[in-house]
Amino acid sequence: MKKIGIMNSNISARVADMGHMDWLAVGDAGTPVPEGVDKIDLSVKSGTPSFMEVLDVILLELEVQKIYLAEEIKVNNPDVLEQINRRFDGDVSIEFISHNDLKKNIKKSKAFIRTGETTPYANIILESGVIF
């Protein structure tokens, strides 16, 4: 049994499978997941687990070079945006796109991880980097 890091075997396998520039999406409980995308559903109840809890664990193991966020998060969920900015602290490129484009781009991701988050626009696409 793993002692640290990602305990969920499906998420752990997806992160281990990531190559340079592959995408992994994490989002709130209401995000529509396109047909054919591997959906890893972690939602237990409203708010559990939170978007940030899940993101924090993923960031322990995944090298990220760029993130994609919905432009709408700036106005509609500035608290989550501030938390995301603190996690990346200017070390990662951030691209803001429309929420509709973000939802469409989920289909390019290796997987979508659904959290129990119930605040608006708590969605992110992580682009993997390299450690060398």
Side-chain angles (χ1 to χ4, degrees):
M1 179 175 178
K2 280 184 78 166
K3 288 174 55 174
I4 59 170
I6 301 169
M7 300 299 287
N8 181 289
S9 60
N10 293 323
I11 297 172
S12 185
R14 281 290 172 221
V15 169
D17 189 48
M18 297 287 284
H20 187 213
M21 299 182 74
D22 283 342
W23 287 4
L24 179 67
V26 182
D28 61 48
T31 305
V33 182
E35 200 66 38
V37 173
D38 181 20
K39 179 172 82 173
I40 302 170
D41 193 343
L42 302 180
S43 61
V44 177
K45 66 177 186 172
S46 180
T48 305
S50 74
F51 171 79
M52 293 310 303
E53 286 175 311
V54 174
L55 181 60
D56 283 344
V57 174
I58 291 168
L59 294 179
L60 290 173
E61 296 189 25
L62 181 64
E63 181 68 25
V64 176
Q65 69 180 17
K66 185 174 185 177
I67 62 173
Y68 299 85
L69 299 169
E71 183 73 33
E72 293 87 343
I73 196 172
K74 293 176 182 177
V75 171
N76 296 293
N77 203 341
D79 292 337
V80 166
L81 177 57
E82 180 183 331
Q83 292 179 60
I84 291 168
N85 282 328
R86 275 187 279 159
R87 275 20 177 224
F88 294 102
D89 197 28
D91 293 334
V92 171
S93 173
I94 300 174
E95 185 172 332
F96 291 94
I97 58 178
S98 75
H99 185 59
N100 283 334
D101 285 344
L102 189 126
K103 289 188 294 186
K104 288 176 190 172
N105 284 335
I106 289 172
K107 71 176 123 190
K108 299 176 188 175
S109 297
K110 291 244 181 199
F112 175 81
I113 301 167
R114 180 179 181 238
T115 70
E117 186 68 44
T118 54
T119 64
Y121 305 103
N123 302 288
I124 193 169
I125 295 175
L126 305 166
E127 182 177 288
S128 64
V130 292
I131 57 172
F132 55 88

